[in-house]
Structure formats: C-alpha cells, structure tokens
Amino acid sequence: MSNPRPTEEPSVADLVDRLSEQTARLVRDELKLARAEYTQKAKQGGTAVGLFGAGAVLAWFGLGSLIATAILVLALFLPAWAAALIVTVVIFLIAGIAALISKKKTEDLTPTPERTVATVRRDADEITERI
C-alpha cells in the first residue's frame, strides 16, 4: 500500500513571488479601470461643452436674426424701442436656459473615478483581512 503524499505547502519564496505577481496584476487592472473611467468622463464633459457652445452660437445668431424680424413685426404695433426691448429680453432668456442646461451637465461630472476607488478599497480590505 502506498501512503498518500501529504500536500506540500508552498515555500515563503513561492508565496512572495505569487504576492508580487498578483499585486502587479491588480495594479495594472486598476489602472486600466481608471483610464476607462476618465475616458468616459471626458466624453461627458465634451458633450456638455458642445451643448454650451451650441447654445452660445444659437444665441448669437438668434440675436441678429430674431431682433431684425421681431422688431420689424412689433414695430407695426409698438414704438420701435419697445419692440427691440421685448425681442432682446426673449433672446437672453433662451440663452440663459441653454447656459443652465450646460451648467447642470457639468455639475454632474466628478474627476474622481468612483468605481476604481471602490475596487481599490475593496482590494485593500481583502488584503488586510487575509494578513
């Protein structure tokens, strides 16, 4: 009859090698996650900036074209200065709404990669529990 061989425990050197490899892999994976999160946030920021720019351009062109047409139409019923004032107020209200929308979009952005921070914390807790 043969005796079953007792399982050999890994040496300290083997354990240190494994720890080094796993730590390096963990750090690489966390850096990849952080890079992916920053890319996503940059795209969201670009969208918000684009919306703000579109709002500004529309406000600028609107200021020219709407003032001309609306003032001419309102000048038929009101003095020219009153028609110009009414149209100007309306254009600035529209520009303000576009600015508020873009401000709301940028407020939702945070520079912190939340998922990466959470996984690093979870990994650190796991390591401390096992030590």
Side-chain angles (χ1 to χ4, degrees):
M1 288 179 114
S2 66
N3 284 338
R5 296 178 86 188
T7 57
E8 293 182 21
E9 292 189 24
S11 68
V12 173
D14 289 338
L15 291 174
V16 170
D17 282 344
R18 282 191 215 166
L19 177 63
S20 174
E21 290 171 10
Q22 291 175 354
T23 302
R25 185 176 64 230
L26 178 64
V27 168
R28 280 192 304 270
D29 290 346
E30 295 299 342
L31 288 174
K32 284 180 188 177
L33 179 60
R35 187 179 312 133
E37 281 190 76
Y38 277 122
T39 301
Q40 180 183 11
K41 288 179 184 292
K43 287 179 184 178
Q44 289 175 343
T47 301
V49 169
L51 284 171
F52 183 78
V57 168
L58 290 174
W60 181 256
F61 287 127
L63 187 63
S65 63
L66 284 178
I67 286 177
T69 30
I71 289 174
L72 290 173
V73 170
L74 289 176
L76 297 173
F77 308 102
L78 301 170
W81 67 268
L85 180 63
I86 291 170
V87 171
T88 301
V89 167
V90 169
I91 290 171
F92 281 127
L93 284 174
I94 294 170
I97 290 169
L100 288 175
I101 291 171
S102 71
K103 181 180 180 225
K104 175 67 176 144
K105 287 255 183 211
T106 56
E107 285 175 351
D108 293 341
L109 294 175
T110 59
T112 307
E114 290 92 3
R115 290 187 324 213
T116 302
V117 170
T119 58
V120 168
R121 284 190 182 136
R122 188 182 67 228
D123 294 340
D125 290 343
E126 181 77 23
I127 291 169
T128 54
E129 284 177 14
R130 292 183 184 237
I131 293 181

